[in-house]
Amino acid sequence: MSLFTKNHVYALINDLAAQLNDEMIMALSICHIDNNLMQISFDNDNNILNVNIDGTDYKIHKQTFLEFISEEDFNSIFNIVETNNQKQNIDNLEDIPDELKPKEISKPVVHEKTMEEIEAEEKERERKKFRAFVTETEQPDEEQLIFMDNDLDENEDNCEEEIPDDLTGDEIDEIIENQKDPEPEIPSFSKYDIDKDMQQLNSNIEDNNDDDETVNGVIPFKEKYPYIEQTSVHASDCVYKLFRASIRHKGSPMIDELFFYIYPLTLKKNDPSTEIVAYCYYRGQNITVSSFDGQNNLVRLKAGEYEFLIRGTFVDGKFDATINTTGNSATTEDQLTIAQTFINNINSGTIDSQNGHIKFKYVGWESDPNKLYEGIIEIFPTDFKTDSFLIVRRIEDYIDYFYTDKIELGDKKIYIQTKDEMQELVCWWDNNVIRYELILAS
């Protein structure tokens, strides 16, 4: 008998994580999936399981499942007939009518585009959008006017200057390049809408006894993905998804409200389950968990008596995130309601040059001043109207979460032990740009 029920495997398919392990399977086993929204078929020739979940197609190789269940269990779960028996039935093609014999299908030759071709197509799309903007003369119909942004009236004042219609491609590129960035769209709701009593949540620190090789007397930080230094970031280039949610126990009239920010740690083109930082504001507390904590890319967050399973994904360079109940909250059927969401992404063409947040290195020490380490600090906004930030500090095996907030935390200071002195980390908004400075601690 299989160790996994069909619902467990359905949940595993729904996640489609890039690398599966036992912890992830257990985490997914408590998810609730509507089996009516899932259709499954198996391609015997290629050993591919074809899955359609709520209108989205996925393909998973059989070998992925055989890493943690037997072939007999796999066939039993998906009602698959042994392929060897099927092949034996068609070994003698002479006994099969011509119209039922397998026919060879020639596969079309697909031309893989080079980076130059992709960039040229992207540039041409920008030019076409520019030309369409300049030459557009049709008036919107009444139905379209209903959905127009009020800011359109302000934009009309900027379009009065006549622009020649015989511009070359390079001239159009120059105009587009010189256009000023629009005011960034920021969420209309804030964590301050929920609670005014914020408290700092102290993070746990683990001991480190590793002996690493040094570079110029400093032990380098071993980052598991390509490092990109980013010492400032515009609000429109911050990548995150924002949730305002409410939750209550089944049958209880008492409702709790929560506020979540989900940030990717690195920007990618496509990834069904990516590394994330999850920030929650609950009853005046700041709660942060991340993939840095040794968790899988599926991050578990506990706020009071509620438990959540959070995942981030990338599709075509766009980030998205989901939140579901897990553990006791799933068992007792706690009712989670998402009241508001807001998501911000950047042009996928800038993925290789940005993090979506501030990230920089420094040299310091933790337990021994004679043993210097390379550390990394990452800064994420937790509000776009005030100087409210989450700071993640990593050095050796230490991971710290700090919070700075002039409204809720007052003059709370964040100290960083550098090579020669203790310094204070200061962060602020400067005309929609996040900036920071390390200054000598007083």
Side-chain angles (χ1 to χ4, degrees):
M1 181 178 292
S2 170
L3 296 176
F4 297 88
T5 68
K6 186 176 292 188
N7 283 344
H8 292 171
V9 180
Y10 282 156
L12 172 62
I13 295 170
N14 188 45
D15 183 74
L16 292 175
Q19 295 180 350
L20 305 179
N21 57 47
D22 291 342
E23 291 183 7
M24 183 173 294
I25 296 168
M26 288 188 290
L28 289 165
S29 67
I30 48 76
C31 294
H32 302 287
I33 305 298
D34 186 351
N35 295 344
N36 295 326
L37 300 179
M38 180 180 297
Q39 291 84 39
I40 298 177
S41 62
F42 186 69
D43 181 351
N44 287 315
D45 294 333
N46 299 309
N47 283 329
I48 296 294
L49 190 70
N50 299 301
V51 185
N52 183 283
I53 302 175
D54 197 15
T56 302
D57 291 320
Y58 303 97
K59 295 180 183 296
I60 311 173
H61 198 279
K62 177 180 178 180
Q63 188 59 38
T64 302
F65 294 93
L66 297 187
E67 293 181 6
F68 55 89
I69 61 176
S70 67
E71 184 164 0
E72 180 182 355
D73 289 338
F74 177 85
N75 294 336
S76 172
I77 290 172
F78 298 107
N79 298 322
I80 296 172
V81 180
E82 290 288 343
T83 56
N84 291 336
N85 295 338
Q86 294 179 350
K87 290 182 179 179
Q88 290 174 3
N89 291 336
I90 62 172
D91 279 342
N92 190 357
L93 294 179
E94 295 179 358
D95 297 335
I96 301 177
D98 292 339
E99 61 272 15
L100 296 180
K101 290 182 179 180
K103 298 179 181 179
E104 292 187 0
I105 301 176
S106 59
K107 296 183 179 180
V109 178
V110 179
H111 168 66
E112 279 197 27
K113 296 180 180 179
T114 65
M115 287 300 298
E116 290 77 10
E117 290 173 329
I118 294 174
E119 291 174 356
E121 290 179 357
E122 180 67 24
K123 185 173 291 186
E124 183 59 28
R125 280 194 293 270
E126 291 294 331
R127 292 172 179 173
K128 288 180 179 179
K129 286 168 60 178
F130 180 83
R131 290 192 179 100
F133 171 75
V134 173
T135 58
E136 180 65 45
T137 57
E138 294 182 1
Q139 295 295 323
D141 58 32
E142 185 173 344
E143 183 178 354
Q144 289 175 322
L145 285 172
I146 297 175
F147 298 96
M148 279 190 170
D149 196 312
N150 293 332
D151 293 337
L152 190 59
D153 294 334
E154 298 177 5
N155 294 335
E156 288 177 354
D157 297 335
N158 299 327
C159 301
E160 294 179 356
E161 183 179 354
E162 184 176 353
I163 302 176
D165 56 4
D166 58 348
L167 294 174
T168 66
D170 290 339
E171 290 172 333
I172 292 176
D173 292 342
E174 184 177 356
I175 293 176
I176 294 174
E177 183 69 23
N178 292 333
Q179 286 178 339
K180 291 184 177 180
D181 289 335
E183 287 295 316
E185 184 181 5
I186 63 174
S188 60
F189 54 103
S190 166
K191 62 183 178 182
Y192 304 116
D193 299 334
I194 295 178
D195 196 349
K196 295 298 181 182
D197 299 323
M198 180 183 289
Q199 299 174 3
Q200 182 180 17
L201 181 70
N202 295 320
S203 57
N204 295 326
I205 299 178
E206 299 177 355
D207 292 331
N208 174 61
N209 297 315
D210 294 339
D211 291 326
D212 298 308
E213 295 182 359
T214 64
V215 178
N216 296 325
V218 177
I219 300 174
F221 195 96
K222 295 179 180 179
E223 186 67 282
K224 68 177 182 178
Y225 43 76
Y227 174 83
I228 298 177
E229 183 101 356
Q230 192 166 357
T231 55
S232 65
V233 61
H234 193 276
S236 58
D237 290 329
C238 293
V239 179
Y240 60 94
K241 187 170 185 181
L242 179 61
F243 295 86
R244 182 176 180 180
S246 62
I247 191 169
R248 64 179 178 179
H249 296 306
K250 185 177 181 181
S252 171
M254 300 297 295
I255 297 177
D256 276 304
E257 289 193 326
L258 308 99
F259 195 89
F260 296 92
Y261 270 100
I262 314 301
Y263 319 89
L265 292 178
T266 183
L267 305 186
K268 302 178 181 180
K269 188 67 176 177
N270 290 287
D271 192 341
S273 186
T274 192
E275 301 92 338
I276 58 173
V277 171
Y279 166 84
C280 175
Y281 182 75
Y282 170 70
R283 292 190 179 183
Q285 289 185 328
N286 293 306
I287 305 169
T288 302
V289 294
S290 72
S291 300
F292 292 139
D293 299 321
Q295 301 197 37
N296 297 305
N297 295 342
L298 278 165
V299 171
R300 288 174 175 265
L301 185 148
K302 187 172 182 180
E305 54 196 20
Y306 304 107
E307 296 181 68
F308 303 95
L309 192 65
I310 304 172
R311 182 185 68 171
T313 61
F314 277 101
V315 177
D316 296 330
K318 301 299 181 183
F319 177 70
D320 200 358
T322 57
I323 299 177
N324 294 289
T325 57
T326 189
N328 290 332
S329 289
T331 303
T332 59
E333 299 184 18
D334 289 344
Q335 298 172 348
L336 175 67
T337 301
I338 305 299
Q340 293 173 290
T341 62
F342 182 91
I343 190 167
N344 196 66
N345 274 297
I346 60 175
N347 188 321
S348 60
T350 62
I351 285 178
D352 294 331
S353 61
Q354 297 201 52
N355 298 301
H357 63 274
I358 285 181
K359 182 175 182 178
F360 65 93
K361 291 181 179 179
Y362 74 101
V363 174
W365 56 273
E366 191 64 32
S367 55
D368 183 354
N370 297 316
K371 196 172 185 180
L372 298 177
Y373 285 84
E374 189 176 65
I376 291 182
I377 290 178
E378 306 192 44
I379 302 174
F380 305 87
T382 58
D383 192 84
F384 285 80
K385 298 178 181 179
T386 65
D387 292 336
S388 178
F389 303 99
L390 159 67
I391 293 92
V392 181
R393 184 196 67 146
R394 295 181 288 152
I395 187 170
E396 306 179 49
D397 286 338
Y398 294 91
I399 301 172
D400 290 322
Y401 300 114
F402 301 99
Y403 310 95
T404 174
D405 193 317
K406 290 183 178 179
I407 293 180
E408 298 295 340
L409 299 179
D411 295 326
K412 183 69 177 179
K413 298 182 184 297
I414 298 171
Y415 296 110
I416 304 296
Q417 177 64 62
T418 59
K419 178 181 177 181
D420 299 317
E421 59 195 13
M422 184 71 74
Q423 293 190 328
E424 180 185 349
L425 175 62
V426 181
C427 311
W428 70 95
W429 283 106
D430 178 18
N431 293 326
N432 295 320
V433 176
I434 302 177
R435 302 194 185 279
Y436 79 92
E437 186 176 2
L438 282 170
I439 62 176
L440 181 63
S442 57

Short mmCIF file of all heavy atoms in Angstrom, two decimals, residues 336-381:
data_model
loop_
_atom_site.label_atom_id
_atom_site.label_comp_id
_atom_site.label_asym_id
_atom_site.label_seq_id
_atom_site.Cartn_x
_atom_site.Cartn_y
_atom_site.Cartn_z
N LEU A 336 -9.17 31.85 6.82
CA LEU A 336 -8.31 32.95 6.38
C LEU A 336 -8.99 33.68 5.22
O LEU A 336 -9.37 33.07 4.24
CB LEU A 336 -6.94 32.42 5.94
CG LEU A 336 -5.97 33.45 5.35
CD1 LEU A 336 -5.54 34.45 6.42
CD2 LEU A 336 -4.76 32.76 4.75
N THR A 337 -9.11 35.00 5.36
CA THR A 337 -9.72 35.82 4.31
C THR A 337 -8.74 36.90 3.90
O THR A 337 -8.25 37.66 4.73
CB THR A 337 -11.02 36.48 4.80
OG1 THR A 337 -11.94 35.45 5.21
CG2 THR A 337 -11.65 37.31 3.69
N ILE A 338 -8.40 36.94 2.60
CA ILE A 338 -7.53 37.99 2.06
C ILE A 338 -8.39 39.19 1.70
O ILE A 338 -9.22 39.13 0.80
CB ILE A 338 -6.75 37.49 0.83
CG1 ILE A 338 -5.97 36.21 1.17
CG2 ILE A 338 -5.82 38.58 0.32
CD1 ILE A 338 -4.95 36.38 2.26
N ALA A 339 -8.19 40.29 2.42
CA ALA A 339 -9.02 41.47 2.21
C ALA A 339 -8.48 42.36 1.10
O ALA A 339 -9.25 42.90 0.28
CB ALA A 339 -9.14 42.27 3.50
N GLN A 340 -7.16 42.57 1.07
CA GLN A 340 -6.53 43.43 0.07
C GLN A 340 -5.18 42.86 -0.32
O GLN A 340 -4.51 42.23 0.49
CB GLN A 340 -6.31 44.85 0.63
CG GLN A 340 -7.59 45.62 0.91
CD GLN A 340 -7.28 46.94 1.61
OE1 GLN A 340 -6.88 46.94 2.76
NE2 GLN A 340 -7.47 48.04 0.92
N THR A 341 -4.80 43.06 -1.58
CA THR A 341 -3.47 42.67 -2.04
C THR A 341 -2.91 43.77 -2.93
O THR A 341 -3.65 44.56 -3.52
CB THR A 341 -3.48 41.35 -2.84
OG1 THR A 341 -4.28 41.53 -4.03
CG2 THR A 341 -4.01 40.21 -2.02
N PHE A 342 -1.59 43.82 -2.99
CA PHE A 342 -0.89 44.75 -3.87
C PHE A 342 0.42 44.09 -4.26
O PHE A 342 1.11 43.52 -3.42
CB PHE A 342 -0.62 46.09 -3.17
CG PHE A 342 0.05 47.11 -4.05
CD1 PHE A 342 -0.71 48.01 -4.78
CD2 PHE A 342 1.43 47.17 -4.15
CE1 PHE A 342 -0.10 48.96 -5.59
CE2 PHE A 342 2.06 48.11 -4.95
CZ PHE A 342 1.27 49.01 -5.68
N ILE A 343 0.76 44.13 -5.54
CA ILE A 343 1.98 43.49 -6.01
C ILE A 343 2.76 44.47 -6.87
O ILE A 343 2.17 45.25 -7.63
CB ILE A 343 1.66 42.19 -6.79
CG1 ILE A 343 2.95 41.39 -7.05
CG2 ILE A 343 0.91 42.47 -8.06
CD1 ILE A 343 2.67 39.98 -7.52
N ASN A 344 4.09 44.47 -6.70
CA ASN A 344 4.93 45.36 -7.51
C ASN A 344 6.06 44.57 -8.14
O ASN A 344 6.77 43.83 -7.46
CB ASN A 344 5.53 46.49 -6.65
CG ASN A 344 6.08 47.62 -7.50
OD1 ASN A 344 5.31 48.31 -8.16
ND2 ASN A 344 7.37 47.82 -7.49
N ASN A 345 6.20 44.70 -9.46
CA ASN A 345 7.25 44.03 -10.22
C ASN A 345 8.00 45.06 -11.04
O ASN A 345 7.56 46.20 -11.20
CB ASN A 345 6.66 42.95 -11.13
CG ASN A 345 6.48 41.63 -10.41
OD1 ASN A 345 7.44 41.02 -9.98
ND2 ASN A 345 5.24 41.20 -10.28
N ILE A 346 9.14 44.65 -11.60
CA ILE A 346 9.92 45.52 -12.47
C ILE A 346 10.05 44.86 -13.83
O ILE A 346 9.67 43.69 -14.02
CB ILE A 346 11.32 45.80 -11.88
CG1 ILE A 346 12.11 44.50 -11.70
CG2 ILE A 346 11.22 46.53 -10.57
CD1 ILE A 346 13.53 44.72 -11.24
N ASN A 347 10.59 45.60 -14.79
CA ASN A 347 10.82 45.06 -16.12
C ASN A 347 11.72 43.83 -16.02
O ASN A 347 12.78 43.88 -15.42
CB ASN A 347 11.49 46.14 -16.99
CG ASN A 347 11.59 45.72 -18.44
OD1 ASN A 347 11.86 44.56 -18.74
ND2 ASN A 347 11.37 46.67 -19.33
N SER A 348 11.28 42.72 -16.63
CA SER A 348 12.05 41.47 -16.53
C SER A 348 13.43 41.60 -17.15
O SER A 348 14.32 40.82 -16.85
CB SER A 348 11.28 40.33 -17.20
OG SER A 348 11.06 40.61 -18.57
N GLY A 349 13.63 42.61 -18.01
CA GLY A 349 14.94 42.80 -18.62
C GLY A 349 16.00 43.29 -17.66
O GLY A 349 17.19 43.26 -17.97
N THR A 350 15.59 43.77 -16.47
CA THR A 350 16.55 44.28 -15.48
C THR A 350 16.82 43.27 -14.37
O THR A 350 17.47 43.61 -13.38
CB THR A 350 16.02 45.59 -14.87
OG1 THR A 350 14.79 45.32 -14.18
CG2 THR A 350 15.79 46.64 -15.93
N ILE A 351 16.34 42.05 -14.52
CA ILE A 351 16.49 41.04 -13.47
C ILE A 351 17.96 40.82 -13.13
O ILE A 351 18.33 40.70 -11.95
CB ILE A 351 15.83 39.71 -13.90
CG1 ILE A 351 14.31 39.83 -13.79
CG2 ILE A 351 16.32 38.55 -13.04
CD1 ILE A 351 13.57 38.60 -14.24
N ASP A 352 18.84 40.75 -14.13
CA ASP A 352 20.24 40.43 -13.89
C ASP A 352 21.03 41.58 -13.28
O ASP A 352 22.22 41.43 -12.99
CB ASP A 352 20.91 40.00 -15.21
CG ASP A 352 20.33 38.70 -15.74
OD1 ASP A 352 19.88 37.88 -14.90
OD2 ASP A 352 20.31 38.50 -16.95
N SER A 353 20.41 42.74 -13.10
CA SER A 353 21.14 43.89 -12.54
C SER A 353 20.52 44.42 -11.26
O SER A 353 21.01 45.39 -10.71
CB SER A 353 21.19 45.02 -13.58
OG SER A 353 19.87 45.45 -13.92
N GLN A 354 19.45 43.79 -10.76
CA GLN A 354 18.77 44.29 -9.57
C GLN A 354 18.37 43.14 -8.65
O GLN A 354 18.24 41.98 -9.07
CB GLN A 354 17.52 45.08 -9.96
CG GLN A 354 17.82 46.33 -10.77
CD GLN A 354 16.67 47.32 -10.70
OE1 GLN A 354 16.21 47.68 -9.63
NE2 GLN A 354 16.21 47.76 -11.86
N ASN A 355 18.17 43.49 -7.38
CA ASN A 355 17.67 42.53 -6.37
C ASN A 355 16.20 42.76 -6.04
O ASN A 355 15.55 41.90 -5.47
CB ASN A 355 18.47 42.66 -5.07
CG ASN A 355 19.94 42.35 -5.25
OD1 ASN A 355 20.30 41.26 -5.66
ND2 ASN A 355 20.78 43.32 -4.95
N GLY A 356 15.71 43.97 -6.33
CA GLY A 356 14.37 44.33 -5.87
C GLY A 356 14.40 44.89 -4.45
O GLY A 356 13.37 45.22 -3.88
N HIS A 357 15.60 45.03 -3.87
CA HIS A 357 15.79 45.61 -2.54
C HIS A 357 17.27 45.93 -2.37
O HIS A 357 18.10 45.53 -3.19
CB HIS A 357 15.31 44.66 -1.44
CG HIS A 357 16.08 43.38 -1.39
ND1 HIS A 357 15.75 42.29 -2.18
CD2 HIS A 357 17.16 42.99 -0.67
CE1 HIS A 357 16.60 41.30 -1.94
NE2 HIS A 357 17.47 41.69 -1.02
N ILE A 358 17.63 46.66 -1.32
CA ILE A 358 19.03 46.99 -1.05
C ILE A 358 19.78 45.76 -0.53
O ILE A 358 19.27 45.00 0.28
CB ILE A 358 19.14 48.15 -0.04
CG1 ILE A 358 18.77 49.48 -0.72
CG2 ILE A 358 20.53 48.24 0.58
CD1 ILE A 358 18.86 50.68 0.18
N LYS A 359 21.02 45.61 -1.02
CA LYS A 359 21.87 44.50 -0.57
C LYS A 359 23.33 44.92 -0.69
O LYS A 359 23.77 45.33 -1.77
CB LYS A 359 21.59 43.26 -1.42
CG LYS A 359 22.39 42.03 -1.02
CD LYS A 359 21.94 40.83 -1.85
CE LYS A 359 22.68 39.56 -1.46
NZ LYS A 359 22.22 38.40 -2.24
N PHE A 360 24.09 44.84 0.41
CA PHE A 360 25.49 45.23 0.34
C PHE A 360 26.30 44.44 1.37
O PHE A 360 25.76 43.86 2.31
CB PHE A 360 25.66 46.74 0.58
CG PHE A 360 25.26 47.20 1.96
CD1 PHE A 360 26.19 47.29 2.98
CD2 PHE A 360 23.93 47.56 2.22
CE1 PHE A 360 25.82 47.71 4.25
CE2 PHE A 360 23.55 47.98 3.49
CZ PHE A 360 24.50 48.07 4.51
N LYS A 361 27.64 44.43 1.17
CA LYS A 361 28.54 43.69 2.05
C LYS A 361 29.27 44.63 3.00
O LYS A 361 29.42 45.82 2.72
CB LYS A 361 29.57 42.92 1.22
CG LYS A 361 29.01 41.76 0.43
CD LYS A 361 30.11 41.04 -0.35
CE LYS A 361 29.55 39.85 -1.12
NZ LYS A 361 30.59 39.15 -1.90
N TYR A 362 29.73 44.09 4.13
CA TYR A 362 30.59 44.81 5.04
C TYR A 362 31.51 43.79 5.72
O TYR A 362 31.27 42.58 5.65
CB TYR A 362 29.78 45.58 6.09
CG TYR A 362 29.17 44.70 7.17
CD1 TYR A 362 29.77 44.60 8.42
CD2 TYR A 362 28.02 43.97 6.93
CE1 TYR A 362 29.24 43.79 9.41
CE2 TYR A 362 27.48 43.16 7.92
CZ TYR A 362 28.09 43.07 9.15
OH TYR A 362 27.56 42.26 10.12
N VAL A 363 32.56 44.26 6.36
CA VAL A 363 33.49 43.38 7.08
C VAL A 363 33.34 43.63 8.57
O VAL A 363 33.40 44.77 9.03
CB VAL A 363 34.94 43.62 6.64
CG1 VAL A 363 35.90 42.79 7.49
CG2 VAL A 363 35.12 43.27 5.17
N GLY A 364 33.14 42.57 9.33
CA GLY A 364 32.96 42.71 10.78
C GLY A 364 33.23 41.41 11.49
O GLY A 364 33.75 40.46 10.91
N TRP A 365 32.90 41.36 12.77
CA TRP A 365 33.10 40.16 13.55
C TRP A 365 31.93 39.99 14.51
O TRP A 365 31.17 40.92 14.77
CB TRP A 365 34.42 40.21 14.31
CG TRP A 365 34.59 41.41 15.21
CD1 TRP A 365 35.08 42.63 14.87
CD2 TRP A 365 34.26 41.48 16.61
NE1 TRP A 365 35.09 43.48 15.94
CE2 TRP A 365 34.59 42.78 17.05
CE3 TRP A 365 33.74 40.57 17.53
CZ2 TRP A 365 34.40 43.20 18.35
CZ3 TRP A 365 33.55 40.99 18.84
CH2 TRP A 365 33.89 42.29 19.24
N GLU A 366 31.81 38.78 15.06
CA GLU A 366 30.69 38.50 15.94
C GLU A 366 31.16 38.01 17.31
O GLU A 366 30.92 38.64 18.32
CB GLU A 366 29.76 37.46 15.30
CG GLU A 366 28.43 37.30 16.03
CD GLU A 366 27.59 38.56 16.00
OE1 GLU A 366 27.67 39.31 15.01
OE2 GLU A 366 26.86 38.80 16.98
N SER A 367 31.86 36.90 17.33
CA SER A 367 32.26 36.32 18.62
C SER A 367 33.73 36.49 18.94
O SER A 367 34.13 36.32 20.09
CB SER A 367 31.92 34.81 18.62
OG SER A 367 32.53 34.16 17.51
N ASP A 368 34.54 36.84 17.94
CA ASP A 368 35.98 36.97 18.16
C ASP A 368 36.49 38.13 17.32
O ASP A 368 36.48 38.07 16.09
CB ASP A 368 36.68 35.67 17.76
CG ASP A 368 38.18 35.71 18.05
OD1 ASP A 368 38.69 36.78 18.45
OD2 ASP A 368 38.84 34.67 17.86
N PRO A 369 36.97 39.22 17.94
CA PRO A 369 37.44 40.39 17.18
C PRO A 369 38.65 40.09 16.31
O PRO A 369 38.98 40.87 15.41
CB PRO A 369 37.76 41.42 18.26
CG PRO A 369 37.99 40.63 19.49
CD PRO A 369 37.10 39.44 19.40
N ASN A 370 39.34 38.97 16.57
CA ASN A 370 40.50 38.60 15.77
C ASN A 370 40.12 37.72 14.58
O ASN A 370 40.99 37.32 13.79
CB ASN A 370 41.53 37.86 16.63
CG ASN A 370 42.06 38.74 17.74
OD1 ASN A 370 42.39 39.91 17.51
ND2 ASN A 370 42.14 38.20 18.95
N LYS A 371 38.83 37.43 14.43
CA LYS A 371 38.37 36.60 13.33
C LYS A 371 37.33 37.38 12.54
O LYS A 371 36.18 37.51 12.95
CB LYS A 371 37.77 35.29 13.88
CG LYS A 371 37.61 34.20 12.82
CD LYS A 371 37.20 32.89 13.48
CE LYS A 371 37.16 31.76 12.47
NZ LYS A 371 36.78 30.47 13.07
N LEU A 372 37.76 37.95 11.43
CA LEU A 372 36.90 38.83 10.64
C LEU A 372 36.13 38.04 9.59
O LEU A 372 36.66 37.13 8.94
CB LEU A 372 37.74 39.91 9.95
CG LEU A 372 38.49 40.87 10.87
CD1 LEU A 372 39.32 41.84 10.06
CD2 LEU A 372 37.52 41.62 11.78
N TYR A 373 34.88 38.44 9.42
CA TYR A 373 34.01 37.80 8.45
C TYR A 373 33.43 38.85 7.50
O TYR A 373 33.29 40.02 7.86
CB TYR A 373 32.83 37.09 9.14
CG TYR A 373 33.20 35.80 9.83
CD1 TYR A 373 33.72 35.81 11.12
CD2 TYR A 373 32.99 34.58 9.20
CE1 TYR A 373 34.04 34.61 11.76
CE2 TYR A 373 33.30 33.38 9.84
CZ TYR A 373 33.83 33.41 11.12
OH TYR A 373 34.14 32.23 11.74
N GLU A 374 33.09 38.39 6.30
CA GLU A 374 32.35 39.23 5.37
C GLU A 374 30.87 39.03 5.66
O GLU A 374 30.38 37.90 5.69
CB GLU A 374 32.68 38.81 3.93
CG GLU A 374 32.14 39.74 2.87
CD GLU A 374 32.59 39.31 1.49
OE1 GLU A 374 32.18 38.21 1.05
OE2 GLU A 374 33.36 40.05 0.85
N GLY A 375 30.17 40.12 5.92
CA GLY A 375 28.74 40.05 6.22
C GLY A 375 27.92 40.66 5.11
O GLY A 375 28.43 41.39 4.25
N ILE A 376 26.64 40.37 5.12
CA ILE A 376 25.71 40.91 4.13
C ILE A 376 24.52 41.52 4.85
O ILE A 376 23.98 40.93 5.80
CB ILE A 376 25.22 39.83 3.14
CG1 ILE A 376 26.36 39.38 2.22
CG2 ILE A 376 24.06 40.34 2.30
CD1 ILE A 376 25.98 38.36 1.19
N ILE A 377 24.12 42.70 4.43
CA ILE A 377 22.92 43.36 4.96
C ILE A 377 21.93 43.57 3.81
O ILE A 377 22.32 44.00 2.72
CB ILE A 377 23.28 44.71 5.61
CG1 ILE A 377 24.06 44.47 6.90
CG2 ILE A 377 22.02 45.54 5.89
CD1 ILE A 377 24.51 45.73 7.60
N GLU A 378 20.67 43.26 4.07
CA GLU A 378 19.62 43.45 3.07
C GLU A 378 18.51 44.28 3.72
O GLU A 378 18.12 44.02 4.87
CB GLU A 378 19.10 42.11 2.56
CG GLU A 378 20.24 41.24 2.04
CD GLU A 378 19.77 40.02 1.26
OE1 GLU A 378 18.87 40.16 0.43
OE2 GLU A 378 20.32 38.93 1.49
N ILE A 379 17.99 45.26 2.98
CA ILE A 379 17.00 46.19 3.52
C ILE A 379 15.73 46.12 2.68
O ILE A 379 15.77 46.26 1.46
CB ILE A 379 17.54 47.64 3.52
CG1 ILE A 379 18.84 47.71 4.35
CG2 ILE A 379 16.50 48.60 4.07
CD1 ILE A 379 19.52 49.05 4.30
N PHE A 380 14.58 45.92 3.37
CA PHE A 380 13.28 45.81 2.71
C PHE A 380 12.33 46.85 3.31
O PHE A 380 12.31 47.04 4.53
CB PHE A 380 12.68 44.41 2.93
CG PHE A 380 13.56 43.28 2.50
CD1 PHE A 380 14.50 42.74 3.38
CD2 PHE A 380 13.47 42.73 1.23
CE1 PHE A 380 15.31 41.68 3.01
CE2 PHE A 380 14.28 41.66 0.85
CZ PHE A 380 15.20 41.14 1.73
N PRO A 381 11.52 47.51 2.49
CA PRO A 381 10.54 48.46 3.03
C PRO A 381 9.35 47.74 3.63
O PRO A 381 8.87 46.75 3.10
CB PRO A 381 10.12 49.26 1.79
CG PRO A 381 10.30 48.30 0.65
CD PRO A 381 11.49 47.44 1.01
#
